Amino acid sequence: DTTGVVSGKVLKYNGTQWVPADDNSGSSVSPTSLGDLITYSLTGSTYPAVVTSSAASSIIDGSTANQVSNAFDGNPTTYWHSTDAMPQWISAGFAAAQTVVAVSITIWNFSANRSPRDFKVQGSNNNTDWTDVASFTGIVWSINETKTFSLASNTIGYLYWRIYITASNGDNYQTIPTIVFTAATGAATALPVG
């Protein structure tokens, strides 16, 4: 629910839902980390969909420092780091189906070589059978760059969304600090990764 939220407003998770973070009154949980806060910076009828689960094709060395959930924690200094092979994928699950209309990806601040050049955005309702929603090819990145990819023609909600990467800009490793799926207003409120 985005009632009363305006562009540029910081939101906090109060244990039940995202609310404007003007103060802590009525909140059972005070924001304690970047993962507890999001900024409602989109205009019109969209909002950032909040991830409830995440998975990936691989994690380098199985290290907790490179976990897939890092791509969804709102912290640009943490990241998902895959192994050195293609294809790679990273997915997010939601508490209710989300009609995603854009996806934003921020790549690693040390190397643009570990960024997706060719990839698909896919949706699923069972986390097994995936439908291609959009394809992007030849994407070139700068270090620490964020790009937003429009899925404006999408009208279908899915419980799971993923980035399926088929080619990289150099290394086959993928190092992605931040992914944000933007959903159309009216989709059910999701809960954050716990």
Side-chain angles (χ1 to χ4, degrees):
D1 178 19
T2 57
T3 305
V5 178
V6 296
S7 181
K9 176 70 78 172
V10 174
L11 303 180
K12 65 182 176 186
Y13 187 69
N14 71 3
T16 306
Q17 64 185 8
W18 289 98
V19 296
D22 296 327
D23 58 45
N24 287 332
S25 63
S27 175
S28 60
V29 178
S30 297
T32 57
S33 71
L34 200 53
D36 292 334
L37 296 171
I38 60 173
T39 302
Y40 189 81
S41 59
L42 304 165
T43 59
S45 58
T46 61
Y47 66 95
V50 183
V51 175
T52 59
S53 64
S54 57
S57 51
S58 69
I59 300 168
I60 193 165
D61 302 327
S63 169
T64 56
N66 302 311
Q67 292 298 310
V68 64
S69 60
N70 292 347
F72 304 104
D73 68 2
N75 183 346
T77 65
T78 63
Y79 48 83
W80 164 61
H81 193 321
S82 76
T83 58
D84 183 21
M86 281 291 150
Q88 293 287 340
W89 57 264
I90 181 168
S91 68
F94 301 91
Q98 302 293 312
T99 304
V100 171
V101 295
V103 61
S104 298
I105 302 171
T106 302
I107 60 111
W108 199 33
N109 60 355
F110 293 110
S111 174
N113 290 341
R114 296 180 177 185
S115 60
R117 185 187 74 209
D118 302 341
F119 63 94
K120 299 175 183 180
V121 179
Q122 301 176 315
S124 174
N125 281 316
N126 62 10
N127 207 17
T128 301
D129 302 310
W130 293 91
T131 300
D132 293 348
V133 176
S135 294
F136 302 93
T137 59
I139 306 300
V140 178
W141 301 79
S142 298
I143 292 174
N144 205 34
E145 182 177 13
T146 300
K147 291 183 185 276
T148 299
F149 302 91
S150 175
L151 310 175
S153 62
N154 178 52
T155 59
I156 300 172
Y158 293 103
L159 288 169
Y160 303 92
W161 285 87
R162 79 175 177 182
I163 311 292
Y164 188 88
I165 304 161
T166 56
S168 186
N169 281 298
D171 294 343
N172 284 331
Y173 296 102
Q174 295 298 292
T175 308
I176 300 177
T178 306
I179 298 173
V180 176
F181 291 96
T182 302
T185 297
T189 301
L191 301 174
V193 171

